Coordinates of all heavy atoms in Angstrom, one line a residue:
M811 N 227.5 198.0 63.2 CA 226.9 198.1 64.5 C 227.5 197.1 65.5 O 227.8 197.4 66.6 CB 225.4 197.8 64.4 CG 224.6 198.0 65.7 SD 224.8 199.5 66.5 CE 224.1 200.6 65.3
L812 N 227.8 195.9 64.9 CA 228.5 194.9 65.8 C 229.6 194.2 64.9 O 229.3 193.8 63.8 CB 227.5 193.9 66.2 CG 228.0 192.6 66.9 CD1 228.6 193.0 68.3 CD2 226.9 191.6 67.1
S813 N 230.7 194.1 65.5 CA 231.8 193.5 64.9 C 232.6 192.6 65.9 O 233.0 193.1 66.9 CB 232.8 194.5 64.2 OG 234.0 193.9 63.8
A814 N 232.8 191.4 65.6 CA 233.5 190.5 66.4 C 234.6 189.8 65.6 O 234.3 189.3 64.5 CB 232.6 189.4 67.1
R815 N 235.8 189.7 66.1 CA 236.9 189.1 65.3 C 237.7 188.1 66.2 O 238.1 188.5 67.3 CB 237.9 190.2 64.8 CG 237.3 191.1 63.7 CD 237.2 190.3 62.4 NE 236.4 191.1 61.4 CZ 235.1 190.9 61.2 NH1 234.4 190.0 61.9 NH2 234.5 191.6 60.3
G816 N 237.8 186.9 65.8 CA 238.7 186.0 66.4 C 238.3 185.6 67.9 O 239.2 185.4 68.7
L817 N 237.0 185.6 68.1 CA 236.6 185.3 69.5 C 236.9 183.8 69.9 O 236.5 182.9 69.2 CB 235.1 185.6 69.7 CG 234.7 187.0 69.7 CD1 233.2 187.1 70.0 CD2 235.5 187.8 70.7
A818 N 237.5 183.7 71.0 CA 237.7 182.3 71.6 C 237.4 182.3 73.0 O 237.6 183.4 73.7 CB 239.2 181.9 71.3
H819 N 236.8 181.3 73.5 CA 236.5 181.2 74.9 C 236.6 179.8 75.4 O 236.1 178.8 74.8 CB 235.0 181.7 75.1 CG 234.8 182.1 76.5 ND1 235.1 183.4 77.0 CD2 234.2 181.4 77.6 CE1 234.7 183.5 78.3 NE2 234.2 182.3 78.7
R820 N 237.1 179.6 76.6 CA 237.3 178.3 77.2 C 236.7 178.4 78.6 O 236.8 179.4 79.3 CB 238.8 177.9 77.4 CG 239.4 177.7 76.0 CD 240.9 177.4 76.3 NE 241.1 176.1 76.9 CZ 241.2 175.0 76.3 NH1 241.2 175.0 75.0 NH2 241.4 173.8 76.9
Y821 N 236.1 177.3 79.0 CA 235.7 177.1 80.4 C 236.6 176.0 80.9 O 236.3 174.8 80.6 CB 234.2 176.6 80.5 CG 233.2 177.6 80.0 CD1 232.7 177.5 78.7 CD2 232.7 178.7 80.7 CE1 231.7 178.3 78.2 CE2 231.8 179.6 80.2 CZ 231.3 179.4 78.9 OH 230.4 180.3 78.4
G822 N 237.6 176.3 81.7 CA 238.5 175.3 82.1 C 239.1 174.6 80.9 O 239.7 175.2 80.0
G823 N 238.9 173.2 80.8 CA 239.5 172.5 79.7 C 238.5 172.4 78.5 O 238.8 171.7 77.5
T824 N 237.4 173.0 78.6 CA 236.4 172.9 77.5 C 236.5 174.2 76.6 O 236.3 175.3 77.1 CB 234.9 172.9 78.1 OG1 234.8 171.7 78.9 CG2 233.9 172.8 77.0
T825 N 236.7 173.9 75.3 CA 236.7 175.0 74.3 C 235.3 175.3 73.9 O 234.7 174.4 73.2 CB 237.6 174.7 73.1 OG1 238.9 174.5 73.6 CG2 237.6 175.8 72.1
A826 N 234.7 176.4 74.2 CA 233.4 176.8 73.8 C 233.4 177.5 72.4 O 232.5 177.3 71.6 CB 232.7 177.6 74.9
L827 N 234.3 178.4 72.2 CA 234.5 179.1 71.0 C 235.9 179.1 70.6 O 236.8 179.2 71.4 CB 234.0 180.6 71.1 CG 232.6 180.8 71.6 CD1 232.3 182.3 71.8 CD2 231.6 180.3 70.6
D828 N 236.1 179.1 69.2 CA 237.5 179.0 68.8 C 237.6 179.8 67.4 O 237.5 179.2 66.4 CB 238.0 177.6 68.6 CG 239.5 177.5 68.3 OD1 240.2 178.5 68.3 OD2 239.9 176.4 67.9
G829 N 237.8 181.1 67.5 CA 238.0 181.9 66.3 C 236.7 182.2 65.6 O 236.5 182.0 64.4
V830 N 235.8 182.9 66.3 CA 234.5 183.3 65.7 C 234.6 184.8 65.2 O 235.0 185.7 66.0 CB 233.3 183.2 66.8 CG1 232.0 183.7 66.2 CG2 233.2 181.8 67.2
D831 N 234.1 184.9 64.0 CA 234.0 186.3 63.4 C 232.5 186.5 63.1 O 231.8 185.6 62.6 CB 234.8 186.4 62.1 CG 236.3 186.2 62.2 OD1 236.8 186.5 63.3 OD2 236.9 185.8 61.2
L832 N 232.1 187.7 63.4 CA 230.7 188.1 63.1 C 230.6 189.6 62.9 O 231.1 190.4 63.6 CB 229.8 187.7 64.3 CG 228.3 188.0 64.2 CD1 227.6 187.2 63.2 CD2 227.6 187.8 65.6
T833 N 229.8 189.9 61.8 CA 229.6 191.4 61.6 C 228.1 191.5 61.4 O 227.5 190.8 60.6 CB 230.3 191.8 60.3 OG1 231.7 191.6 60.4 CG2 230.1 193.3 60.1
V834 N 227.5 192.5 62.0 CA 226.1 192.8 61.9 C 226.0 194.3 61.6 O 226.4 195.1 62.5 CB 225.3 192.4 63.1 CG1 223.8 192.8 62.8 CG2 225.4 191.0 63.5
G835 N 225.4 194.7 60.5 CA 225.2 196.1 60.2 C 224.0 196.7 60.9 O 223.2 196.0 61.4
A836 N 223.9 198.0 60.9 CA 222.8 198.7 61.5 C 221.5 198.2 60.8 O 221.4 198.1 59.6 CB 222.9 200.2 61.3
G837 N 220.5 197.9 61.6 CA 219.2 197.4 61.1 C 219.3 195.9 60.8 O 218.3 195.3 60.3
G838 N 220.4 195.3 60.9 CA 220.6 193.8 60.6 C 219.8 193.0 61.6 O 219.6 193.3 62.7
C839 N 219.4 191.8 61.1 CA 218.7 190.8 62.0 C 219.4 189.5 61.8 O 219.5 189.0 60.6 CB 217.2 190.8 61.5 SG 216.3 189.6 62.5
V840 N 219.9 188.9 62.9 CA 220.7 187.7 62.8 C 220.1 186.6 63.6 O 219.7 186.9 64.8 CB 222.1 187.9 63.2 CG1 222.9 186.6 63.3 CG2 222.8 188.9 62.3
A841 N 219.9 185.4 63.1 CA 219.5 184.2 63.9 C 220.7 183.3 64.0 O 221.4 183.1 63.1 CB 218.4 183.5 63.2
L842 N 221.0 182.9 65.3 CA 222.2 182.1 65.6 C 221.7 180.7 65.8 O 221.0 180.5 66.8 CB 222.9 182.7 66.8 CG 224.3 182.3 67.1 CD1 225.2 182.6 66.0 CD2 224.7 183.1 68.4
L843 N 222.0 179.8 64.9 CA 221.6 178.4 65.0 C 222.7 177.5 65.2 O 223.8 177.7 64.7 CB 220.8 178.0 63.7 CG 219.7 178.9 63.3 CD1 219.1 178.4 62.0 CD2 218.6 179.0 64.3
G844 N 222.5 176.4 66.0 CA 223.5 175.4 66.2 C 223.1 174.4 67.2 O 222.2 174.7 68.0
P845 N 223.7 173.2 67.2 CA 223.3 172.2 68.1 C 223.6 172.5 69.6 O 224.4 173.5 69.8 CB 224.2 171.0 67.7 CG 225.3 171.6 66.9 CD 224.8 172.8 66.3
N846 N 223.1 171.8 70.5 CA 223.4 172.0 71.9 C 224.9 172.0 72.1 O 225.5 171.1 71.7 CB 222.7 171.0 72.8 CG 221.2 171.0 72.7 OD1 220.5 170.0 72.5 ND2 220.6 172.2 72.9
G847 N 225.3 173.0 72.9 CA 226.8 173.0 73.2 C 227.6 173.7 72.1 O 228.8 173.7 72.2
A848 N 227.0 174.2 71.1 CA 227.8 174.8 70.0 C 228.5 176.1 70.4 O 229.4 176.5 69.7 CB 226.9 175.0 68.8
G849 N 228.0 176.7 71.4 CA 228.6 178.0 71.9 C 227.7 179.2 71.7 O 228.2 180.3 71.8
K850 N 226.5 179.0 71.3 CA 225.6 180.2 71.1 C 225.5 181.1 72.3 O 225.6 182.3 72.2 CB 224.2 179.7 70.6 CG 224.2 178.7 69.4 CD 222.8 178.2 69.1 CE 222.2 177.4 70.2 NZ 222.8 176.1 70.4
T851 N 225.2 180.5 73.4 CA 225.0 181.3 74.6 C 226.3 182.0 75.0 O 226.3 183.2 75.4 CB 224.4 180.5 75.8 OG1 223.2 180.0 75.4 CG2 224.3 181.3 77.1
T852 N 227.4 181.3 74.9 CA 228.7 181.9 75.2 C 228.9 183.1 74.3 O 229.4 184.2 74.8 CB 229.8 180.9 75.0 OG1 229.5 179.7 75.9 CG2 231.2 181.4 75.3
L853 N 228.7 182.9 73.0 CA 228.9 184.0 72.0 C 228.0 185.2 72.4 O 228.5 186.4 72.5 CB 228.6 183.5 70.6 CG 228.7 184.6 69.5 CD1 230.1 185.2 69.5 CD2 228.3 184.0 68.2
V854 N 226.7 185.0 72.6 CA 225.8 186.1 72.9 C 226.3 186.8 74.2 O 226.3 188.0 74.3 CB 224.4 185.7 72.9 CG1 223.5 186.8 73.5 CG2 223.9 185.2 71.5
N855 N 226.6 186.0 75.2 CA 227.0 186.6 76.5 C 228.3 187.5 76.3 O 228.4 188.5 77.0 CB 227.2 185.5 77.5 CG 225.9 185.0 78.1 OD1 224.9 185.6 77.9 ND2 226.0 183.9 78.8
L856 N 229.2 187.0 75.5 CA 230.4 187.9 75.2 C 230.0 189.2 74.4 O 230.4 190.2 74.8 CB 231.4 187.1 74.3 CG 232.2 186.0 75.0 CD1 232.9 185.1 74.0 CD2 233.2 186.7 75.9
L857 N 229.1 189.0 73.4 CA 228.7 190.2 72.6 C 228.0 191.2 73.4 O 228.1 192.4 73.1 CB 227.8 189.7 71.4 CG 228.5 188.8 70.4 CD1 227.5 188.4 69.3 CD2 229.7 189.4 69.8
V858 N 227.3 190.8 74.4 CA 226.5 191.8 75.2 C 227.2 192.2 76.5 O 226.7 192.9 77.4 CB 225.1 191.4 75.5 CG1 224.3 191.1 74.2 CG2 225.0 190.2 76.5
G859 N 228.4 191.7 76.7 CA 229.3 192.1 77.8 C 229.0 191.4 79.1 O 229.5 191.8 80.2
L860 N 228.3 190.3 79.1 CA 228.0 189.5 80.3 C 229.1 188.6 80.7 O 229.2 188.2 81.8 CB 226.7 188.7 80.2 CG 225.4 189.5 80.1 CD1 224.2 188.6 79.8 CD2 225.2 190.3 81.5
L861 N 230.0 188.3 79.7 CA 231.2 187.5 80.0 C 232.4 188.3 79.6 O 232.4 189.0 78.6 CB 231.2 186.2 79.1 CG 230.6 184.9 79.5 CD1 230.8 183.9 78.4 CD2 231.2 184.4 80.8
P862 N 233.5 188.2 80.4 CA 234.7 188.9 80.0 C 235.4 188.2 78.9 O 235.4 187.0 78.8 CB 235.6 188.8 81.3 CG 235.0 187.6 82.1 CD 233.6 187.5 81.7
R863 N 235.9 189.0 78.0 CA 236.6 188.5 76.8 C 237.9 187.8 77.2 O 238.7 188.3 78.0 CB 237.0 189.7 75.9 CG 236.3 189.6 74.5 CD 236.6 190.9 73.7 NE 237.0 192.0 74.4 CZ 238.3 192.5 74.4 NH1 239.2 191.9 73.7 NH2 238.6 193.6 75.0
Q864 N 238.1 186.6 76.6 CA 239.4 186.0 76.8 C 240.3 186.2 75.6 O 241.5 186.5 75.8 CB 239.2 184.5 77.0 CG 238.4 184.1 78.3 CD 238.2 182.7 78.5 OE1 238.4 181.8 77.5 NE2 237.7 182.3 79.6
R865 N 239.8 186.0 74.4 CA 240.6 186.3 73.2 C 239.7 186.8 72.1 O 238.6 186.3 71.9 CB 241.3 185.0 72.8 CG 242.3 185.2 71.7 CD 243.5 184.1 71.8 NE 243.0 182.7 71.7 CZ 242.8 182.1 70.5 NH1 242.9 182.8 69.4 NH2 242.4 180.9 70.5
G866 N 240.2 187.8 71.3 CA 239.5 188.3 70.2 C 239.0 189.7 70.5 O 239.3 190.3 71.6
E867 N 238.4 190.3 69.6 CA 237.9 191.7 69.7 C 236.4 191.8 69.4 O 235.9 191.1 68.6 CB 238.7 192.6 68.6 CG 240.2 192.6 68.8 CD 240.6 193.1 70.1 OE1 240.0 194.1 70.7 OE2 241.6 192.7 70.7
I868 N 235.8 192.7 70.2 CA 234.4 193.0 70.0 C 234.2 194.5 69.9 O 234.7 195.2 70.8 CB 233.5 192.4 71.1 CG1 233.7 190.9 71.3 CG2 232.0 192.8 70.9 CD1 233.1 190.4 72.5
S869 N 233.4 195.0 68.9 CA 233.0 196.4 68.9 C 231.5 196.4 68.8 O 230.9 195.8 67.8 CB 233.7 197.1 67.7 OG 233.1 198.4 67.6
L870 N 230.9 197.0 69.7 CA 229.4 197.1 69.7 C 229.0 198.6 69.7 O 229.4 199.3 70.7 CB 228.8 196.4 71.0 CG 227.3 196.5 71.2 CD1 226.6 195.7 70.2 CD2 226.9 196.1 72.6
A871 N 228.4 199.0 68.7 CA 228.0 200.5 68.5 C 229.3 201.3 68.7 O 229.2 202.4 69.4 CB 226.9 200.9 69.5
G872 N 230.4 200.8 68.3 CA 231.7 201.6 68.3 C 232.4 201.5 69.7 O 233.4 202.1 69.8
G873 N 231.9 200.6 70.6 CA 232.6 200.6 71.9 C 232.7 199.1 72.4 O 232.3 198.2 71.7
D874 N 233.3 199.0 73.6 CA 233.5 197.7 74.2 C 232.2 197.4 75.0 O 231.8 198.2 75.9 CB 234.7 197.8 75.2 CG 235.0 196.5 75.9 OD1 234.1 195.7 76.0 OD2 236.2 196.4 76.3
P875 N 231.6 196.2 74.8 CA 230.3 195.9 75.5 C 230.5 195.7 77.0 O 229.5 195.7 77.7 CB 229.8 194.6 74.8 CG 231.0 194.0 74.2 CD 231.9 195.2 73.8
R876 N 231.7 195.7 77.5 CA 232.0 195.6 78.9 C 231.9 197.0 79.6 O 231.9 197.1 80.8 CB 233.3 194.9 79.2 CG 233.4 193.5 78.8 CD 232.7 192.6 79.7 NE 233.3 192.3 81.0 CZ 232.8 191.6 82.0 NH1 231.6 191.0 81.8 NH2 233.5 191.4 83.1
N877 N 231.9 198.0 78.7 CA 231.9 199.4 79.3 C 230.4 199.8 79.5 O 229.6 199.7 78.5 CB 232.6 200.4 78.3 CG 234.1 200.2 78.3 OD1 234.6 199.5 79.2 ND2 234.7 200.7 77.3
A878 N 230.1 200.4 80.6 CA 228.8 200.9 80.9 C 228.3 201.9 79.9 O 227.1 201.9 79.5 CB 228.7 201.5 82.3
S879 N 229.3 202.7 79.4 CA 228.9 203.7 78.4 C 228.4 203.1 77.1 O 227.5 203.7 76.4 CB 230.1 204.7 78.1 OG 231.2 203.9 77.7
T880 N 228.9 201.9 76.7 CA 228.4 201.2 75.5 C 227.1 200.6 75.8 O 226.2 200.6 75.0 CB 229.5 200.2 75.1 OG1 230.7 200.8 74.9 CG2 229.0 199.5 73.8
R881 N 227.0 200.0 77.0 CA 225.8 199.2 77.3 C 224.5 200.1 77.5 O 223.4 199.6 77.5 CB 226.0 198.3 78.5 CG 226.8 197.1 78.1 CD 227.6 196.5 79.2 NE 226.7 195.8 80.2 CZ 227.2 194.9 81.0 NH1 228.4 194.5 80.9 NH2 226.4 194.4 82.0
R882 N 224.7 201.4 77.6 CA 223.6 202.3 77.6 C 222.7 202.1 76.4 O 221.5 202.4 76.4 CB 224.1 203.8 77.6 CG 224.6 204.2 78.9 CD 225.1 205.7 78.8 NE 223.9 206.5 78.5 CZ 224.0 207.6 77.6 NH1 225.1 207.8 77.0 NH2 222.9 208.3 77.3
W883 N 223.4 201.7 75.2 CA 222.7 201.6 74.0 C 222.1 200.2 73.7 O 221.6 199.9 72.6 CB 223.6 202.0 72.8 CG 224.2 203.3 73.0 CD1 225.5 203.6 73.4 CD2 223.5 204.6 72.8 NE1 225.6 205.0 73.5 CE2 224.4 205.6 73.2 CE3 222.2 204.9 72.4 CZ2 224.1 206.9 73.1 CZ3 221.9 206.3 72.4 CH2 222.8 207.3 72.7
L884 N 222.2 199.3 74.7 CA 221.9 197.9 74.5 C 220.7 197.5 75.3 O 220.6 197.8 76.5 CB 223.2 197.1 74.9 CG 223.1 195.6 74.8 CD1 223.0 195.2 73.4 CD2 224.4 195.0 75.5
G885 N 219.8 196.7 74.6 CA 218.7 196.1 75.4 C 218.8 194.6 75.1 O 219.0 194.1 74.0
V886 N 218.7 193.8 76.2 CA 218.8 192.3 76.1 C 217.6 191.7 76.8 O 217.3 192.1 77.9 CB 220.1 191.8 76.7 CG1 220.2 190.3 76.6 CG2 221.3 192.5 76.0
V887 N 217.0 190.7 76.1 CA 216.0 189.9 76.8 C 216.5 188.5 76.7 O 216.6 187.9 75.6 CB 214.6 190.0 76.1 CG1 213.6 189.1 76.8 CG2 214.1 191.4 76.1
Q888 N 216.8 187.9 77.8 CA 217.3 186.5 77.8 C 216.2 185.5 77.6 O 215.0 185.9 77.7 CB 218.0 186.2 79.2 CG 219.2 187.0 79.5 CD 220.5 186.4 78.9 OE1 220.4 185.5 78.1 NE2 221.6 186.9 79.3
H889 N 216.5 184.3 77.2 CA 215.4 183.3 76.9 C 214.7 182.9 78.2 O 213.6 182.3 78.1 CB 215.9 182.2 76.1 CG 217.0 181.4 76.6 ND1 217.6 180.4 76.0 CD2 217.8 181.6 77.7 CE1 218.6 179.9 76.7 NE2 218.8 180.7 77.7
R890 N 215.3 183.1 79.3 CA 214.6 182.9 80.6 C 214.5 184.2 81.4 O 215.5 184.8 81.5 CB 215.3 181.8 81.4 CG 214.8 180.4 81.2 CD 215.5 179.5 82.2 NE 217.0 179.6 82.0 CZ 217.8 178.6 82.0 NH1 217.3 177.4 82.3 NH2 219.1 178.7 81.8
W891 N 213.4 184.6 81.9 CA 213.4 185.7 82.8 C 212.3 185.5 83.8 O 211.5 184.6 83.7 CB 213.2 187.0 82.0 CG 211.8 187.5 81.7 CD1 210.7 187.2 82.4 CD2 211.4 188.2 80.6 NE1 209.6 187.8 81.8 CE2 210.0 188.4 80.7 CE3 212.0 188.8 79.5 CZ2 209.3 189.1 79.7 CZ3 211.3 189.5 78.6 CH2 209.9 189.7 78.7
A892 N 212.3 186.3 84.8 CA 211.3 186.2 85.9 C 211.0 187.7 86.3 O 211.9 188.5 86.3 CB 211.9 185.5 87.1
T893 N 209.7 187.9 86.5 CA 209.3 189.2 87.0 C 209.0 189.0 88.5 O 208.6 188.0 88.9 CB 208.1 189.7 86.3 OG1 207.1 188.7 86.3 CG2 208.4 190.2 84.9
P894 N 209.2 190.1 89.3 CA 209.0 189.9 90.8 C 207.6 189.6 91.0 O 206.6 190.1 90.5 CB 209.3 191.3 91.3 CG 210.1 192.0 90.2 CD 209.7 191.4 88.9
A895 N 207.4 188.6 91.9 CA 206.0 188.2 92.3 C 205.5 189.1 93.4 O 206.3 189.7 94.2 CB 206.1 186.7 92.9
R896 N 204.3 189.4 93.4 CA 203.7 190.2 94.4 C 203.6 189.5 95.7 O 203.3 188.3 95.8 CB 202.3 190.7 94.0 CG 202.4 191.8 93.0 CD 201.0 192.2 92.6 NE 201.1 193.4 91.7 CZ 200.7 194.6 92.0 NH1 200.2 194.9 93.2 NH2 200.8 195.5 91.1
Ligands
ATP1107 N1 229.6 177.8 82.8 C1 230.2 176.8 82.1 N2 231.1 176.0 82.7 C2 231.7 175.0 82.0 N3 231.4 174.7 80.7 C3 230.5 175.5 80.1 C4 229.8 176.6 80.8 N4 228.9 177.1 79.9 C5 229.0 176.5 78.8 N5 229.9 175.5 78.9 C6 230.3 174.5 77.8 O1 230.7 175.3 76.7 C7 230.2 174.8 75.5 C8 229.3 175.8 74.8 O2 228.2 176.0 75.6 P1 227.0 177.0 75.3 O3 226.1 177.0 76.5 O4 227.6 178.3 74.9 O5 226.3 176.4 74.0 P2 224.9 176.6 73.4 O6 225.1 176.6 71.9 O7 224.3 177.8 74.0 O8 224.1 175.3 73.9 P3 222.5 175.1 74.1 O9 221.9 175.0 72.7 O10 222.4 173.9 74.9 O11 221.9 176.3 74.8 C9 229.5 173.5 75.9 O12 230.5 172.4 75.7 C10 229.2 173.7 77.3 O13 229.1 172.5 78.0
MG1108 MG1 222.4 178.2 75.0

C-alpha cells in the first residue's frame, strides 16, 4: 500500500531525512516514534504529498502522492486542526 525508498530531505543546510525506507502493507498500522527533530513530520508530509520529494521514491496505493489522482484515496488528519468558527 505504501512504499518509500531512500528518502532524503534537507531544509537549507539542515538534513531532516537521510535514506529512509518504509513499507506498509494493506491494513497495516504503523506508529512513528522519535525524539524532537528526528524527521517524523517531514517524513509524513512527504508520504502524503504535502512536501515535494527531493531524493528517493514513494509509491502510495500504486501512485505518486503528489498526484491528485493518487490523493483521491488518501485521508489525513494532522495533529493540529481548526474548524471554522461561526
Ligand atoms: N520548515 C523548516 N525549515 C527548516 N528546518 C526545518 C523545517 N521543518 C523541519 N526542520 C528541521 O528538520 C529536522 C526534522 O524536523 P521535523 O519537524 O520533521 O521533526 P519531528 O520528528 O517531526 O520533530 P517533533 O517531534 O518536534 O515534531 C529538524 O532539525 C527541524 O529543525
Ligand atoms: Mg513533528
Side-chain angles (χ1 to χ4, degrees):
M811 183 55 64
L812 172 68
S813 169
R815 290 287 169 267
L817 290 184
H819 199 86
R820 294 177 69 87
Y821 299 99
T824 301
T825 299
L827 300 176
D828 186 11
V830 175
D831 297 333
L832 177 69
T833 304
V834 182
C839 181
V840 173
L842 196 57
L843 306 177
N846 295 131
K850 305 177 297 292
T851 296
T852 301
L853 177 59
V854 170
N855 284 345
L856 284 167
L857 296 177
V858 302
L860 290 173
L861 267 181
R863 244 176 338 109
Q864 294 178 350
R865 188 150 61 82
E867 299 299 327
I868 301 170
S869 171
L870 177 71
D874 182 338
R876 295 286 283 178
N877 290 345
S879 57
T880 303
R881 281 156 69 159
R882 287 182 59 220
W883 304 104
L884 178 67
V886 177
V887 178
Q888 297 274 12
H889 54 181
R890 268 186 300 221
W891 86 30
T893 49
R896 282 179 177 248

